Amino acid sequence: MPIFKTPAIESGQAARLDRRRFLAVGGALAATGLLAACGDSDKGKGSGKNGSDKGASGPWTFTDDRGKKISLKKRPERIVAQSHPAAALWDFGIQPVGIFGPQKTADGKPSPQIGNVDLSKTTSVGTAFGEFQMEKLISLKPDLIVTIAYGPMVWYIPEDVYKKVEEVAPIAVIQLMGVAVPDAVKRFGELAAALGADPDSAEVKKAKADFEKAAAGVTAAAKAKKGLSVAVVSGTKENFFVADPAFHGDVKYFQQLGLDIVKPAKPEAGFEALSWEEAGRYKADLVLEDSRPEGGLTHQQLGAYPTWKGSPAVKAGQVSDWQTETPFTYQRFTKVLNDLATTVSNARTNVV
């Protein structure tokens, strides 16, 4: 996320991925040095201006963020994408014919993770982690499958199904771990351009201008509130998680815009996991707490924990949403930045 966004637990899905599983996987990868190696790497950028695009009729190549070169006889037209890149491509003008990953919330509303994607204009081939309706995927005749990665972990296409999916169409992967929001949006734009979109269209230019204005608003608010410390957290019944800004693209960007983000001393796969007895270890004037209804505790549920109620930010009423499910697009992230600027402007410093 978000970006790194920790895996949401999707209601009604058979295959569920919770933080404990991800942290366990991330810890194993970190032990081998793989996560560290992938953190802020610039490897895998596409060759040429837009990842190398010969046009709709000629040979087409694109080098993804794993350094994998995809070569096709012509530019891909039928794209199947995971929710996050589907939302990003959609806002650049590329409409995938298929989508996999989170699409609706438990109450049937569109998931924030799919952004502006019109679900009536695309076909779902699976919603749970690792779930693919292979017959439906094959029937869509995709030319290219697009997903994201957090370090070496390819999102929503685990190893046990990867080869089967890749037999249908080549897979392009965009890295999000440790990639700040504007850099991620730029990279999605490069892929969209390689797929035939116009990254300099009037709509995209306006969206970018709105995004940059909102970002400037956060910087101005941060400057006006010097000394304001901010912790980004998430809680489950078992643990209290403090986010590492070096891992999460959105939190990293907040830091770049001038916010004093609390950095945990011993993060693993994006978080330091604390017991609830230890939850008061990192104090801050303002807390941004995971806003997802699934996969964590609500603000009200957190109130049952003494260490939460006793934290300075909670006592001061300075708790706001960490909008973890927002895809990295100019259009969708502008609201996140505007909301953050308002929150910071209204916060008081030195409540710790």
Side-chain angles (χ1 to χ4, degrees), residues 43-44 63-68 70 149 154 162 166 171-173:
K43 294 179 181 179
T63 302
D64 75 3
D65 289 351
R66 300 169 297 175
K68 182 176 181 179
I70 299 170
V154 177
Y162 187 93
E166 193 176 36
I171 301 171
V173 177

Side-chain angles (χ1 to χ4, degrees), residues 120-167:
S120 71
K121 294 182 179 180
T122 188
T123 299
S124 173
V125 296
T127 58
F129 194 93
E131 173 192 71
F132 281 89
Q133 299 172 32
M134 293 304 299
E135 289 186 5
K136 188 177 288 186
L137 176 64
I138 293 169
S139 72
L140 289 175
K141 299 180 180 179
D143 302 314
L144 184 70
I145 295 169
V146 181
T147 189
I148 53 178
Y150 296 105
M153 191 175 190
V154 177
W155 214 227
Y156 274 71
I157 314 180
E159 290 183 9
D160 59 339
V161 299
Y162 187 93
K163 289 184 178 180
K164 188 183 296 185
V165 173
E166 193 176 36
E167 288 176 358

Side-chain angles (χ1 to χ4, degrees), residues 1-309:
M1 160 161 303
I3 175 40
F4 171 68
K5 315 293 191 292
T6 51
I9 299 176
E10 300 297 322
S11 177
Q13 293 179 342
R16 295 176 178 234
L17 182 66
D18 62 18
R19 290 183 184 82
R20 292 184 300 278
R21 175 180 166 188
F22 183 77
L23 287 168
V25 172
L29 294 171
T32 65
L34 287 174
L35 285 181
C38 293
D40 294 308
S41 174
D42 290 326
K43 294 179 181 179
K45 301 303 180 186
S47 57
K49 182 179 179 182
N50 296 314
S52 181
D53 177 20
K54 298 290 186 180
S57 59
W60 184 91
T61 64
F62 183 83
T63 302
D64 75 3
D65 289 351
R66 300 169 297 175
K68 182 176 181 179
K69 185 176 182 180
I70 299 170
S71 300
L72 298 171
K73 293 181 179 180
K74 65 176 185 177
R75 185 170 67 202
E77 296 180 354
R78 299 182 63 79
I79 313 301
V80 171
Q82 196 271 344
S83 301
H84 193 135
L89 291 174
W90 193 279
D91 281 356
F92 275 108
I94 299 296
Q95 297 187 6
V97 297
I99 187 172
F100 60 96
Q103 295 157 44
K104 293 184 178 180
T105 58
D107 59 5
K109 295 180 180 178
S111 168
Q113 297 184 55
I114 55 101
N116 293 319
V117 173
D118 184 344
L119 292 176
S120 71
K121 294 182 179 180
T122 188
T123 299
S124 173
V125 296
T127 58
F129 194 93
E131 173 192 71
F132 281 89
Q133 299 172 32
M134 293 304 299
E135 289 186 5
K136 188 177 288 186
L137 176 64
I138 293 169
S139 72
L140 289 175
K141 299 180 180 179
D143 302 314
L144 184 70
I145 295 169
V146 181
T147 189
I148 53 178
Y150 296 105
M153 191 175 190
V154 177
W155 214 227
Y156 274 71
I157 314 180
E159 290 183 9
D160 59 339
V161 299
Y162 187 93
K163 289 184 178 180
K164 188 183 296 185
V165 173
E166 193 176 36
E167 288 176 358
V168 180
I171 301 171
V173 177
I174 301 298
Q175 180 64 246
L176 289 189
M177 190 185 88
V179 182
V181 176
D183 297 325
V185 177
K186 180 182 178 182
R187 184 59 173 144
F188 285 130
E190 290 172 351
L191 174 57
L195 294 173
D198 180 6
D200 296 317
S201 69
E203 292 82 3
V204 172
K205 283 185 175 180
K206 181 182 184 306
K208 184 179 181 181
D210 290 343
F211 172 87
E212 291 175 343
K213 181 179 179 180
V218 174
T219 297
K223 286 182 177 179
K225 292 295 173 74
K226 287 185 178 180
L228 181 77
S229 56
V230 183
V232 183
V233 306
S234 184
T236 65
K237 292 180 180 179
E238 296 82 10
N239 292 102
F240 184 72
F241 297 91
V242 182
D244 176 12
F247 189 100
H248 302 268
D250 52 352
V251 186
K252 182 175 185 176
Y253 188 45
F254 300 158
Q255 191 176 55
Q256 291 177 350
L257 292 175
L259 291 186
D260 180 13
I261 304 290
V262 170
K263 179 174 175 58
K266 298 179 179 179
E268 183 178 329
F271 293 90
E272 182 169 352
L274 303 171
S275 69
W276 275 104
E277 289 75 19
E278 302 174 300
R281 179 178 299 176
Y282 301 104
K283 295 178 173 57
D285 298 310
L286 171 65
V287 168
L288 302 180
E289 195 273 327
D290 191 342
S291 64
R292 293 171 300 171
E294 293 110 349
L297 300 176
T298 64
H299 294 342
Q300 292 73 22
Q301 291 170 326
L302 288 167
Y305 295 85
T307 45
W308 172 260
K309 290 193 298 183

